[in-house]
């Protein structure tokens, strides 16, 4: 448990940091694709992980198979982490792989949406602003609600195993769930490019997929076999909604400290959901795991109006700002500052 705690502590910074880096390097319109790219790797890892474990499991080793899996993945992670530390620039203005002209172009294209680069100082005023921003608390709630249904991902392997397949066959037959995740992530990205300012509506629409899967898991007989497995795959389609939510916050939050806090709140909620969700998916509730399914269903039902509230708040703020002619210079005293928040920059418009 101590080692697992240390693993979670080290891993906890990864996704919030990736969201911040994405917002530093790319324009708002580019966030869905870029975040979708690295979120897709969750599905890819699910596929490769199952295949790797299948291969490792067929080799007789001096250590347990699961230990060998951790050693292989850990070694790859450490190697790539060292490369990332030394090779990743703080922003376009210091990119070693661009020449001086390309660095200038890369910086200028982001000037209208500048985030102030990778600031290392913690801003107390931005902290106070975040505390007063209801969208910050909605980010925490989003993290909880989207993670509570996630244990259904493991439900597929339980169903397959209960059909009489061996452990190794179960590993192989659960790998397509990762492919389903990847497909729907790119469906979400495509929809964001069709309707670039309708991300909230797209998120709500995409919840139909896991909702359908959960309802099917309720009504299908356990004897339906692959029908239950396919339903569990649909019920576990969460990564696409997750990626668009992250892109929404990357686009709608400005100010380095504020963005870091809101990202942290989202992933704290994510961790809370990851702790609480599996508690109802235990052997006492097998084989239907009805209590876990009820929790997943309620989570999505609450999630939809929560997104609608966030959508309405952003739309109202945009309307208020559009009703007033704003001279940006009148709202910034002294020399122009880079690290403005979305509240301070009144020319800023929230992505809906």
């Amino acid at each position: 448990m101590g080692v697992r705690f240390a693993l979670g502590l080290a891993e906890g910074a990864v996704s919030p940091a990736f969201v911040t880096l994405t917002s530093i390097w790319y324009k708002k319109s580019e966030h869905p694709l870029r975040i979708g790219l690295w979120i897709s790797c969750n599905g890819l890892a699910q596929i490769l992980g199952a295949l790797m474990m299948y291969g490792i499991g067929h080799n007789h080793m001096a250590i347990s198979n699961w230990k060998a899996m951790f050693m292989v993945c850990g070694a790859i992670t450490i190697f790539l982490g060292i490369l990332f530390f030394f090779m990743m620039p703080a922003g376009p203005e210091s990119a070693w792989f661009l020449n001086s002209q390309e660095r200038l172009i890369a910086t200028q294209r982001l000037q209208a949406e500048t985030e102030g680069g990778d600031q290392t100082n913690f801003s107390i005023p931005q902290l106070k602003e975040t505390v007063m921003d209801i969208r910050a608390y909605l980010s925490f709630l989003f993290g909880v609600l989207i993670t509570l249904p996630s244990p259904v991902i493991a439900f597929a392997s339980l169903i397959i195993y209960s059909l009489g397949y061996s452990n190794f066959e179960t590993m192989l037959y659960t790998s397509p769930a990762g492919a389903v995740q990847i497909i729907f992530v790119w469906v979400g990205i495509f929809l964001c490019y069709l309707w670039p300012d309708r991300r909230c509506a797209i998120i709500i629409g995409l919840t139909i997929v896991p909702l359908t899967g959960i309802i099917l898991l309720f009504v299908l007989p356990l004897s339906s076999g692959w029908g239950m497995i396919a339903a569990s795959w649909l019920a576990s389609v969460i990564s696409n909604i997750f990626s668009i939510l992250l892109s929404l916050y990357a686009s709608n939050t400005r100010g380095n400290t504020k963005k870091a806090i809101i990202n942290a709140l989202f992933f704290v909620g994510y961790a809370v959901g990851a702790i609480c969700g599996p508690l109802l998916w235990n052997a006492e509730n097998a084989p239907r795991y009805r209590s876990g399914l009820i929790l997943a269903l309620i989570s999505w039902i609450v999630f939809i109006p929560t997104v609608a509230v966030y959508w309405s708040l952003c739309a109202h703020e945009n309307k208020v700002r559009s009703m007033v002619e704003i001279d940006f210079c009148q709202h910034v005293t002294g020399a122009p500052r880079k690290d403005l928040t979305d509240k301070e920059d009144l020319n800023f418009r929230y992505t809906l």
Side-chain angles (χ1 to χ4, degrees):
M1 288 180 66
V3 173
R4 294 286 299 199
F5 177 83
L7 178 64
L9 187 67
E11 186 182 343
V14 174
S15 293
F18 277 10
V19 174
T20 301
L21 286 171
T22 303
S23 66
I24 289 173
W25 282 81
Y26 299 103
K27 298 165 66 175
K28 290 201 301 183
S29 60
E30 298 167 342
H31 291 167
L33 174 61
R34 271 62 181 189
I35 291 179
L37 279 169
W38 55 265
I39 289 292
S40 295
C41 292
N42 289 342
L44 184 62
Q46 193 172 351
I47 298 171
L48 295 179
L51 296 177
M52 286 173 64
M53 196 62 198
Y54 181 83
I56 291 173
H58 279 83
N59 290 281
H60 299 287
M61 301 182 184
I63 61 173
S64 302
N65 293 334
W66 67 269
K67 290 182 180 179
M69 182 71 170
F70 267 72
M71 290 178 67
V72 170
C73 293
I76 295 172
T77 301
I78 291 170
F79 173 71
L80 293 177
I82 293 171
L83 285 182
F84 187 88
F85 181 81
F86 286 104
M87 299 182 69
M88 182 66 190
E93 68 283 350
S94 60
W96 55 267
F97 49 81
L98 302 176
N99 60 40
S100 57
Q101 180 64 22
E102 290 170 337
R103 285 195 292 269
L104 179 62
I105 294 171
T107 302
Q108 287 179 341
R109 70 188 288 273
L110 295 171
Q111 282 183 345
E113 302 175 7
T114 181
E115 299 291 334
D118 189 12
Q119 304 291 325
T120 56
N121 60 301
F122 188 88
S123 172
I124 297 300
Q126 289 191 22
L127 169 61
K128 293 178 180 178
E129 179 181 312
T130 307
V131 170
M132 300 302 294
D133 192 342
I134 189 173
R135 281 179 289 265
Y137 301 100
L138 289 176
S139 72
F140 172 80
L141 191 56
F142 284 145
V144 174
L145 292 174
I146 201 171
T147 314
L148 284 175
S150 63
V152 76
I153 295 173
F155 191 46
S157 61
L158 296 174
I159 291 291
I160 295 171
Y161 187 74
S162 69
L163 295 176
Y165 293 101
S166 68
N167 286 328
F168 294 117
E169 290 172 328
T170 300
M171 291 175 197
L172 287 180
Y173 295 150
T174 53
S175 61
V180 174
Q181 294 280 354
I182 293 173
I183 290 169
F184 278 101
V185 166
W186 285 93
V187 167
I189 292 171
F190 177 71
L191 292 175
C192 286
Y193 271 89
L194 281 182
W195 299 289
D197 201 32
R198 290 291 180 267
R199 291 187 213 173
C200 290
I202 292 168
I203 289 171
I204 292 173
L206 289 174
T207 58
I208 294 173
V209 178
L211 268 174
T212 301
I214 290 168
I215 291 170
L216 288 174
L217 289 174
F218 266 116
V219 300
L220 287 175
L222 292 172
S223 59
S224 60
W226 282 99
M228 287 288 287
I229 295 169
S232 67
W233 290 346
L234 291 178
S236 65
V237 174
I238 298 171
S239 294
N240 55 346
I241 301 171
F242 185 73
S243 65
I244 299 176
L245 263 181
L246 292 183
S247 77
L248 194 63
Y249 274 105
S251 300
N252 282 350
T253 310
R254 291 186 63 179
N256 212 272
T257 298
K258 183 176 182 180
K259 186 183 295 290
I261 295 171
I262 287 183
N263 284 341
L265 282 171
F266 178 88
F267 284 102
V268 167
Y270 178 92
V272 170
I275 292 170
C276 299
L279 297 178
L280 297 179
W281 296 80
N282 51 42
E284 296 176 1
N285 298 312
R288 177 68 74 171
Y289 298 95
R290 189 175 296 274
S291 58
L293 292 175
I294 291 173
L295 176 65
L297 185 63
I298 293 173
S299 297
W300 288 121
I301 291 174
V302 176
F303 177 79
I304 292 172
T306 306
V307 175
V309 170
Y310 179 88
W311 186 1
S312 64
L313 287 172
C314 292
H316 174 73
E317 184 65 26
N318 285 351
K319 184 177 180 180
V320 170
R321 294 185 181 195
S322 297
M323 289 172 63
V324 182
E325 286 293 333
I326 300 169
D327 180 5
F328 181 76
C329 295
Q330 293 177 356
H331 299 277
V332 183
T333 58
R337 291 189 294 125
K338 275 188 173 182
D339 198 21
L340 292 172
T341 67
D342 50 278
K343 291 283 189 180
E344 292 171 328
D345 182 2
L346 299 181
N347 287 329
F348 178 82
R349 293 296 181 271
Y350 294 98
T351 299
L352 306 178

